[in-house]
Amino acid sequence: MTQMVDPEWFCNQITTPSVKGIAQAASRLIRDGEIAVGMQMPAVREIAERLGVSPATVSAAWSRLRQHKVLAGKGRSGVWVSGNTVMPRPIRFEKIGNYGEHIRADLAMASPDPALLPDLHNALQAALRSPQLNSYVREPISARLLEAITPRWPYAAEAFLATDGGFDAMNLLVQTLVSPGDRVIIEDPTATRLLDMLDNVGAEIMPLACDDQGPLPEALSHLLTRSPVMMIYQPRTHSATGRTISLGRRQALARILANSTTLIVEDDGIGDLSAAAGWSLGSQFPERTLHVRSFSKAYGPDLRLAVLSATAEMVKRIQAWRNFGVSWTSRILQDAVAWLLEDEATQHQVARARDVYQQRRERLRQALAQRGLMLPPQDGLSLSIPVASEQFAMITLAARGIAVLPGKRCSLGATQFIRVSIASLRDEQQEMIAEALVIACGREANARADL
C-alpha cells in the first residue's frame, strides 16, 4: 500500500506558505530523503486549509515540481513523488538531436548553413574600436548598434536592450514579467524552447489555434476573456510552420487586442532571412508591446545577438533582473552586428542567403509534389509537413538515416506533423529525402491500399 506523507508534519516544515516556499520545502524534503520516492502527497485542499492559503497556491507549487519531474499525478488519483533530483531544464529542447551514429541526414535543427553566413573578420576588427570597450557601465545597448537598428525597426520604440540572442531575450522577459500561475497565450505550434521557458516559470500555457494566415481571431478573443498577462507570437516567418501572418489577419488581431490590457510579445527569430517585411503591433500598442529581433540566423550564431524593444519602464525592469548575472551584452559583438547591418556587401550576402534557402525549400517542395505530396509555399529554414502519425514518420525516417523534428516538441495540440530543415540540404540529397518523406507521411501505404 502506498505510504501517505503526514499532512500536519509536512505543513510544519513549511516556513513560507507561498508557491515558491511550498515548492522549495517539498523539494528539500524529497532531496534529503525525508519524503521517499513513491510516497503520496497530502490532498491539496488539506494542505491549503492548514497553511491558510488558497488551493490554487498549493496546486501551482505542485505544478512547478511536476515540471522538474519530481512529482507526478493530479486530480482524484492524487500526487506522488516520482523522483528525487530537482533540476530545472528544457525538457523538449534537450530531446532534439542525439539520434544515433546511423543518421546520415540530420534535418532536425533549422540552423543556418555556415557557408551562407557573412565573414566576420572586418566586422570584428571594426568593433574593437568601440569607444566604450572594457567599460563596466551597464548601458542597455551600444550607441553604434542603436544607430544601426533604429531605421530598420518596425515601429518607433521608446527603449531598446541588446541581449545574448533571441532566446536569451525571450527568457529575460518571461522571467521578469511572468509569475507562477500566470496565464500566457502562445501560438500552437510554436518554438520548442518557448514552451520550456513558460513551463519553467510555472505559467499556465494557453495554446492559440492558428491556420495558414496566423492566429485565429475567434480563438484569441475567447482566450482573452480569461485575463492572460501575455500573448506570444511570431510576427514574420514562423519557425515551426513557415507561414507568415497575412495583412488581413494582422488587422483582425489588432481589433481584438484593442479591448484588452494583455502584454504583446513578438518573437522575430528568423530576422533578416525572412522574405516578409518587418512589422509590429507596437505601432498601435507601443505601451504594451515587446518586440524581439534575432540577428543570429542571418549574421552568425556566435554573435549571440538580439535586440529587444519595449517601454522604458519595461526595459528597466528586465535590466534589473539581468543584473543578477550578465549585466550587458558584449559591446564587441553589438558593434560587429552594427557594422554588418551598415555594410553593403554584407547586405547583398544576406539577400543571397535568403534566395538560396528559398531555392532549397522550393526544390524539396516540388520533389514532394511530383510524388503526390502537395504543400503550400512556406518561408524560413524548414518545411512543415503534416503526417498521419509522427511516431511512424520518425521511425520510418530514422530507418533510412534521416532525422527530423516531431511536431509534438513544439505543439500542445493533437495535430501530427514533422519539421524538416532545408538549411543545409544539398541537391544530391533531394530525391532520396523526398522519397523517404512521402513514405513517412503514409502516402505510399495509402496508394497501395487504393490499388
Side-chain angles (χ1 to χ4, degrees), residues 184-204:
V184 176
I185 297 173
I186 191 165
E187 294 169 302
D188 188 31
T190 187
T192 299
R193 278 199 278 184
L194 295 182
L195 294 174
D196 283 333
M197 291 173 194
L198 293 172
D199 276 344
N200 186 49
V201 297
E204 180 183 338

Side-chain angles (χ1 to χ4, degrees), residues 27-54:
S27 63
R28 175 180 57 79
L29 293 168
I30 294 169
R31 184 182 63 245
D32 294 346
E34 296 187 60
I35 298 178
V37 173
M39 294 184 71
Q40 187 161 351
M41 300 300 290
V44 166
R45 189 166 296 279
E46 184 172 7
I47 295 175
E49 289 176 354
R50 288 178 179 273
L51 294 178
V53 299
S54 72

Side-chain angles (χ1 to χ4, degrees), residues 13-89:
Q13 312 304 309
I14 298 170
T15 56
T16 306
S18 63
V19 173
K20 184 176 180 180
I22 296 169
Q24 286 182 337
S27 63
R28 175 180 57 79
L29 293 168
I30 294 169
R31 184 182 63 245
D32 294 346
E34 296 187 60
I35 298 178
V37 173
M39 294 184 71
Q40 187 161 351
M41 300 300 290
V44 166
R45 189 166 296 279
E46 184 172 7
I47 295 175
E49 289 176 354
R50 288 178 179 273
L51 294 178
V53 299
S54 72
T57 299
V58 181
S59 294
W62 279 186
S63 178
R64 179 175 291 192
L65 293 178
R66 283 195 201 94
Q67 293 154 17
H68 298 165
K69 311 306 178 186
V70 173
L71 296 184
K74 59 182 177 179
R76 294 183 179 181
S77 62
V79 175
W80 66 91
V81 180
S82 58
N84 57 9
T85 302
V86 182
M87 186 178 69
R89 61 189 193 274

